[in-house]
Amino acid sequence: MPPRATDARRAAVLGKPIAHSLSPVLHRAAYDALGLADWSYDRFEIDEAALPGFFEKLGPEWAGLSLTMPLKRAVIPLVDEISETAASVDAVNTVVFAEDGRRIGDNTDIPGMVAALREHGIEQVDSAAILGAGATASSALAALARICTGEVVAYVRSEARAAEMRRWGERLDIDVRTADWADAEQALRAPLVIATTPAGTTDALAAAVPERPTTLFDVLYEPWPTELAARWSMFGGAVVSGLDLLVHQAVLQVEQMTGRSPAPLEAMRRAGERALAAR
């Protein structure tokens, strides 16, 4: 049974650092649009060591939590069950508190990526490239496992990272080949390019954008646009942004925590855009 929307309920995002998070803006916009005047959504700077203590103090008024780095794996021992999606990448970014007291972990990043791509007309691709090999890259692989019918090439900086991406490929049952970061310019010719690296990492690749680029999914949203995304757009390529991902994964969180569906996607997007513009 979903949480009772008439009750005063609480939710929050946890992580460290957390001051930059747009999640409060998105979730509060959803509550306003849904008429959930008694619901609140906060942010707490919490690291792995403090997470169990935080959970111990949570009362029945709590509806759910959003988890960002470095807590997506640290939270797993603290929940009663996790979804198949979350288990597929050993990462939980959403915890919903059921009325019977169970704590249910899920991962909305993966379906959020798929939804963001679908919104831009990408339903299926025959191959793709991933720039990077961190936690977001594993979620990208899981998303590609749903829409990519052929090979995924991951461009990484070390053999250790390459081996990790190949292991994720085997686990997710998707064909993954790894290549050296020095050859990352080749990635830009793939039908779909997913950039999962920190700010500034792909700037040097902007000059190598082909004359007719396809689709770039850059998971960053601040600063935006990245040099790569700006150049991609200038050449007429389709660009999916980190804000697209953030909004779509937050939509799924709101639906799970409130029991209301559909969540107000456009209201949440506008709130996110205004907040970024104000920064």
Side-chain angles (χ1 to χ4, degrees):
M1 181 181 298
R4 295 185 299 273
T6 55
D7 294 346
R9 305 300 297 273
R10 296 189 67 185
V13 61
L14 315 181
K16 186 174 182 178
I18 202 63
H20 69 289
S21 176
L22 279 181
S23 291
V25 170
L26 303 181
H27 285 252
R28 291 169 187 168
Y31 298 164
D32 288 345
L34 292 170
L36 301 178
D38 293 333
W39 283 61
S40 64
Y41 190 100
D42 302 297
R43 61 164 65 91
F44 294 94
E45 185 156 300
I46 302 288
D47 61 13
E48 298 102 320
L51 188 61
F54 184 90
F55 262 69
E56 289 175 4
K57 297 175 183 177
L58 298 178
E61 74 277 14
W62 282 87
L65 295 170
S66 307
L67 289 305
T68 186
M69 299 304 294
L71 304 178
K72 293 183 180 183
R73 288 182 178 155
V75 74
I76 292 176
L78 304 177
V79 299
D80 297 301
E81 61 183 85
I82 66 173
S83 68
E84 289 185 11
T85 302
S88 71
V89 290
D90 289 336
V92 166
N93 80 326
T94 307
V95 176
V96 176
F97 297 93
E99 285 195 335
D100 61 7
R102 286 178 304 131
R103 298 167 173 176
I104 304 167
D106 192 15
N107 186 309
T108 64
D109 286 331
I110 295 165
M113 283 186 176
V114 174
L117 286 165
R118 184 177 296 121
E119 186 179 42
H120 285 76
I122 307 299
E123 299 276 353
Q124 188 179 82
V125 292
D126 56 15
S127 62
I130 294 178
L131 299 172
T136 306
S138 62
S139 291
L141 267 182
L144 288 171
R146 302 183 179 193
I147 67 167
C148 184
T149 60
E151 183 182 67
V152 176
V153 184
Y155 291 81
V156 299
R157 292 189 181 277
S158 70
E159 177 51 38
R161 290 288 196 179
E164 183 176 1
M165 288 297 282
R166 290 193 293 268
R167 285 194 296 271
W168 280 117
E170 292 174 3
R171 180 168 174 173
L172 294 163
D173 194 25
I174 186 168
D175 184 14
V176 175
R177 177 168 63 85
T178 55
D180 192 274
W181 184 264
D183 298 320
E185 291 183 2
Q186 297 177 14
L188 308 186
R189 292 171 174 78
L192 171 62
V193 182
I194 304 182
T196 69
T197 53
T201 306
T202 62
D203 288 356
L205 298 176
V209 172
E211 289 187 5
R212 295 183 179 179
T214 51
T215 300
L216 170 69
F217 192 162
D218 195 324
V219 303
L220 294 173
Y221 62 84
E222 192 177 21
W224 187 262
T226 63
E227 288 191 25
L228 181 60
R231 181 88 169 179
W232 201 275
S233 294
M234 185 174 70
F235 277 43
V239 175
V240 186
S241 75
L243 182 60
D244 293 322
L245 168 59
L246 191 66
V247 170
H248 277 283
Q249 66 83 27
V251 159
L252 297 170
Q253 290 183 334
V254 168
E255 291 175 351
Q256 291 188 33
M257 293 179 191
T258 67
R260 299 286 193 91
S261 182
L265 170 68
E266 291 306 322
M268 295 168 70
R269 192 199 311 275
R270 288 194 299 270
E273 289 171 346
R274 287 195 298 269
L276 286 176
R279 292 180 181 181

